[in-house]
Structures are given as structure tokens and as C-alpha cells.
Amino acid sequence: MLSGQLIERLSSMAGRVCVARSNAGSGTIGPVEAAIRTKLEQALNPEILELRNESGGHAVPPGSETHFRVAVVSSRFEGLSSLQRHRLVHAALSEELAGPVHALAIQARTPDQWRENPQLDTSPPCLGGSKKTRGTP
């Protein structure tokens, strides 16, 4: 039989959805991805958190955790501009952005905005290399 405390905790979590998507190749969640998830949950208490490791689509070694896309839906974003929302995400992930994370695409929305368009955007394909290797001046 479930204790009252456990039932209360499960009930409070029922309205909150967190989805993880990992495209690193192995299907497992690495330490950087886990840290990103934990820090965003703690800082923003999101209703929805979708996190995608897009490193596998870039010119990095297999299993890398360098390129991510995140959708964060939080009431903390109410009344804030897009720039202010991104700053909150950046502040929560300052350690990762200073180190292993090379690119972070952010969709920071309020619950109402997410209900209007509940999709995680997709990133364009990586062109790889530098402008020199692509033949662009």
C-alpha cells in the first residue's frame, strides 16, 4: 500500500511532464545531458522539459555531448522577453556552456505559448568544418 506522502508526491508530479531525447548514438543519457536536465529542473521548475542531444549530427566523435536543443516551458517566463528567458537558461547552465557544450538551441516558452505550438524545433543539418573547408570566402 502506498503511503500518504508518496501518493501526495506522485499527484504533484502528475501535472509535470519531462521528456528526454538523446541522439548521441548510443541511446543512453550522458553526464552532460544529465547535468543540463538537473540544473534546468532546479532553476526553472519547468512544466515541460524536452532535451535533445544533437551532437551526433555534427563533426564530433561518437558519443559526444557538445550540441543540444532544449525546450523549456515554465511559468517563470511569464512577462519576460525572449532575451531574458535565454539569460535565465544560460545562467543555469553557465558551467556547461563554459566547458563541454559548444552549441545550445533554446526554446523558452510560457505554458500558454507551448499549448499554441507544442513542438521542439529541429536544427538544420551541420555543414561541418570551417568556411575554408566548405569553399566559402
Side-chain angles (χ1 to χ4, degrees):
M1 180 141 213
L2 295 175
S3 72
Q5 188 178 21
L6 180 58
I7 290 172
E8 186 177 314
R9 182 172 161 97
L10 289 172
S11 295
S12 71
M13 291 171 55
R16 189 172 162 191
V17 179
C18 293
V19 178
R21 294 183 184 164
S22 178
N23 292 339
S26 64
T28 60
I29 295 175
V32 176
E33 186 172 348
I36 291 171
R37 172 171 301 288
T38 299
K39 289 179 179 183
L40 290 176
E41 287 175 347
Q42 290 173 350
L44 300 171
N45 192 29
E47 292 182 22
I48 297 171
L49 174 60
E50 291 194 34
L51 180 60
R52 183 179 299 154
N53 181 349
E54 297 182 328
S55 303
H58 296 272
V60 296
S64 292
E65 293 184 277
T66 56
H67 296 71
F68 289 91
R69 174 170 289 280
V70 64
V72 184
V73 179
S74 175
S75 58
R76 293 264 330 261
F77 296 144
E78 296 286 348
L80 298 180
S81 69
S82 179
L83 177 61
Q84 291 169 318
R85 295 172 188 191
H86 282 230
R87 284 181 174 160
L88 286 176
V89 172
H90 279 242
L93 303 178
S94 61
E95 186 178 346
E96 289 71 23
L97 292 169
V101 176
H102 169 73
L104 178 65
I106 302 169
Q107 291 174 243
R109 297 185 185 157
T110 65
D112 286 341
Q113 290 170 328
W114 185 258
R115 280 189 283 278
E116 291 173 16
N117 181 14
Q119 290 186 291
L120 183 61
D121 292 341
T122 57
S123 295
C126 177
L127 298 175
S130 68
K131 289 182 181 179
K132 286 184 179 180
T133 61
R134 290 194 309 259
T136 306

